[in-house]
Amino acid sequence: MRKLIMTAAAAAVLASGGAAFAAVKHTTGTVKTYDGTAMSLVLDDGATFTLPKTFKDPGLKAGEKVRVSWDMSGKNKIAEAVKIVK
């Protein structure tokens, strides 16, 4: 019984540790290009984000300052939210 509890506890610790690596990151920058057809956003520093199919354009245009909430999927930065900041 003790061995079963220790195994379950170890599994819980490992599972929760993986969640820490999946934390959403935030980047603030200026829009260089936005392509609603290709679902991509490039900031002036060269950071490139793929936008989800459910993305609703808040009025993005070149020169607009934005805050992007994103996460990695393989080698791609996937934007979860893009907000225009003043």
Side-chain angles (χ1 to χ4, degrees), residues 11-25 71:
V13 168
L14 290 174
S16 67
F21 291 111
V24 174
K25 298 161 193 70
D71 200 2

Side-chain angles (χ1 to χ4, degrees), residues 37-82:
T37 304
M39 301 305 286
S40 67
L41 173 67
V42 180
L43 300 183
D44 60 349
D45 65 357
T48 302
F49 302 92
T50 301
L51 302 167
K53 292 180 182 180
T54 58
F55 180 74
K56 298 205 184 329
D57 180 10
L60 296 177
K61 59 185 175 199
E64 196 83 59
K65 188 170 182 180
V66 294
R67 181 171 190 228
V68 183
S69 301
W70 58 276
D71 200 2
M72 291 297 292
S73 178
K75 294 183 180 183
N76 298 319
K77 293 179 182 176
I78 307 298
E80 295 184 2
V82 179

